[in-house]
Amino acid sequence: MIWRVDFPPFQAELSIIGGNESRVIAPANTDPRKFLMHVYRTALKKVHGRLAVKRNLDCLAGTGPVYVASIGKAAEAMMLGALDRLDERTVRALVITKRGHLTGKIGSDHRLTCLEAAHPIPDQTSLEAGEALVRFIEQVPIDAQLLFLISGGASSLVEVLPAGIGLDKLIRLNAWLLASGLPIGAINSVRCAVSCIKGGRLAQVVDARRALVLLISDVPDNNPAVIGSGLLAPPGSKPDLPAGLPRWITALVDQAPSVPAAAHPGIAAIEHHIIATNQMVLDGIINEYKHEVIDTFSISGDAATAGTRLADWLIDARPGLYLGGGETTVRLPDAPGQGGRCQQLALAAAMTFSGHRCIHVLAAGTDGTDGPGGAAGALVDGGTVERGTLQGLDARQCIDAADAGRFLHASGDIITTGPTGTNVMDVIIGLKTLCD
């Protein structure tokens, strides 16, 4: 079975006793797995790009014309929010999103140009999108208002390369970074260093135009200089590169132009507002299920190690909901299999609490994507390992081969959502119930 977030809301409740109070943790006579899917769906609604932009456009004062550029996995949803609020003020708009993320909800508005580009490895469409973004800004009147809507994924979707660096080197660079196991901040520092538009360099194209930037954050510290590799927010100094980079990467860095100074008058005048974060997801779940949530945690580091530690914790925990947010990493072998960091974490957790039928864990990307294969993540329980083993697969071998997705497809634990309209890192939801 592949789990989808498309079931109706639940009405009944199941009460269990935790300490001296009755705790409501799941719908009555309902599979806990379905309850967790309901929580996950609720979480995504809290940070949907359309709603987030609508809530935050009061900071765009005046009644004059606006030119809008929306870039990232949530670009379509964010643009819809802008159109909802700006209405006829929008003169022209550019939408750049991941291939397959244009759902048609924007329609055939003649003011909009919509492009799809490659993610997570950029290709020629990424270079074409980068050129289109620069042209769009250059054609905006110097006294006009620009609105930028940026979400995660922009690092791969748009690029303008320094002279002497071709597409082949860009692809090689991003493939190496994604396989390195480096955290997203370190990855984006390298991307910033090998670009003509990242690291705040796009702000130089904006020049003296008024610009407001609304961002959905897919990075742990919600730093505008890291989200989308900082298209309009310079890092403040030369990008702080991780140690141990291969010489061929440092050679690429040397070919890129310097990042602009953050104190430059034009750049300092650009307003940045974070409008959706991972913490907002957790807060939304806590507000919705305040009587069920026992504890929250942040998650980072190696995905399999994080999954094992989470499972150990849940085995000894009291019944209730446990919420985690963040982003782990996976160091890929030479020939990686199927699945991403959430699936890797989930399978490692399932191996640890195998046989514990009272524990369930959902681990999924809020953007609906978790590595290659189209899955958003996985929802595992105490029977996951047994089900996959019966299909002839070995969980440990799949973990070691970065092939957790193949095992979880076989065990029936994959979650699919399609594009979600947001991108605020990953959410991990643990549920422990009372057993008979």
Side-chain angles (χ1 to χ4, degrees), residues 11-313:
Q11 303 298 325
E13 295 175 335
L14 168 68
S15 294
I16 67 168
I17 302 299
N20 296 320
E21 64 176 326
S22 177
R23 304 189 68 85
V24 178
I25 68 162
N29 303 316
T30 300
D31 187 336
R33 295 166 66 92
K34 290 185 177 180
F35 174 64
L36 282 177
M37 292 292 287
H38 188 267
V39 176
Y40 175 55
R41 181 177 66 176
T42 299
L44 295 180
K45 290 180 180 178
K46 303 296 181 181
V47 289
H48 191 272
R50 186 171 191 168
L51 299 178
V53 170
K54 288 174 67 175
R55 285 194 300 260
N56 287 274
L57 262 184
D58 288 338
C59 54
L60 189 62
T63 58
V66 182
Y67 294 76
V68 188
S70 189
I71 311 119
K73 293 181 186 177
E76 182 186 59
M78 295 180 79
M79 180 61 74
L80 286 168
L83 294 174
D84 289 340
R85 289 297 303 272
L86 297 177
D87 196 21
E88 296 305 317
R89 290 182 65 186
T90 304
V91 179
R92 285 196 302 114
L94 175 66
V95 178
I96 301 171
T97 193
K98 179 180 176 179
R99 194 170 293 126
H101 277 49
L102 286 175
T103 66
K105 292 179 181 177
I106 287 180
S108 56
D109 193 317
H110 71 279
R111 297 171 296 174
L112 272 63
T113 299
C114 298
L115 302 175
E116 292 182 308
H119 183 280
I121 303 292
D123 65 11
Q124 182 61 35
T125 62
S126 306
L127 300 182
E128 293 168 359
E131 292 177 2
L133 177 59
V134 170
R135 288 197 306 271
F136 176 84
I137 297 170
E138 290 175 339
Q139 292 168 6
V140 172
I142 199 69
D143 60 346
Q145 173 71 60
L146 268 165
L147 171 63
F148 291 94
L149 309 173
I150 298 177
S151 55
S155 294
S156 176
L157 297 173
V158 291
E159 185 59 279
V160 176
L161 292 172
I165 299 178
L167 177 59
D168 56 339
K169 293 180 180 178
L170 177 66
I171 292 173
R172 184 187 179 195
L173 171 66
N174 280 270
W176 186 92
L177 289 170
L178 293 174
S180 68
L182 289 170
I184 187 61
I187 289 174
N188 280 0
S189 70
V190 179
R191 288 166 167 164
C192 286
V194 188
S195 176
C196 288
I197 57 173
K198 299 181 173 71
R201 298 179 181 93
L202 188 66
Q204 296 172 315
V205 181
V206 173
D207 197 16
R209 298 170 180 87
R210 289 172 293 140
L212 171 67
V213 187
L214 302 184
L215 303 108
I216 291 179
S217 173
D218 67 332
V219 300
D221 59 359
N222 305 320
N223 184 350
V226 180
I227 302 167
S229 298
L231 289 169
L232 294 145
S237 62
K238 186 176 181 179
D240 187 15
L241 300 177
L245 291 176
R247 287 185 179 180
W248 65 269
I249 292 182
T250 57
L252 296 180
V253 172
D254 292 339
Q255 294 177 253
S258 300
V259 297
H264 186 282
I267 293 173
I270 297 176
E271 290 186 52
H272 287 80
H273 297 271
I274 305 294
I275 62 172
T277 68
N278 188 266
Q279 187 60 50
M280 290 179 186
V281 174
L282 303 186
D283 291 344
I285 298 175
I286 291 170
N287 291 335
E288 190 83 13
Y289 303 94
K290 52 182 172 291
H291 297 299
E292 295 92 329
V293 176
I294 302 294
D295 207 350
T296 63
F297 56 92
S298 60
I299 202 152
S300 61
D302 178 73
T305 301
T308 300
R309 290 175 177 171
L310 172 61
D312 286 334
W313 184 39

Side-chain angles (χ1 to χ4, degrees), residues 278-360:
N278 188 266
Q279 187 60 50
M280 290 179 186
V281 174
L282 303 186
D283 291 344
I285 298 175
I286 291 170
N287 291 335
E288 190 83 13
Y289 303 94
K290 52 182 172 291
H291 297 299
E292 295 92 329
V293 176
I294 302 294
D295 207 350
T296 63
F297 56 92
S298 60
I299 202 152
S300 61
D302 178 73
T305 301
T308 300
R309 290 175 177 171
L310 172 61
D312 286 334
W313 184 39
L314 290 174
I315 289 171
D316 295 328
R318 62 192 178 102
L321 274 178
Y322 295 83
L323 308 179
E327 186 170 293
T328 57
T329 59
V330 178
R331 185 179 293 275
L332 298 179
D334 290 339
Q338 177 182 345
R341 57 183 180 260
C342 290
Q343 294 163 75
Q344 190 90 340
L345 183 153
L347 182 54
M351 291 173 62
T352 303
F353 62 65
S354 182
H356 290 262
R357 57 191 180 87
C358 304
I359 301 176
H360 298 73

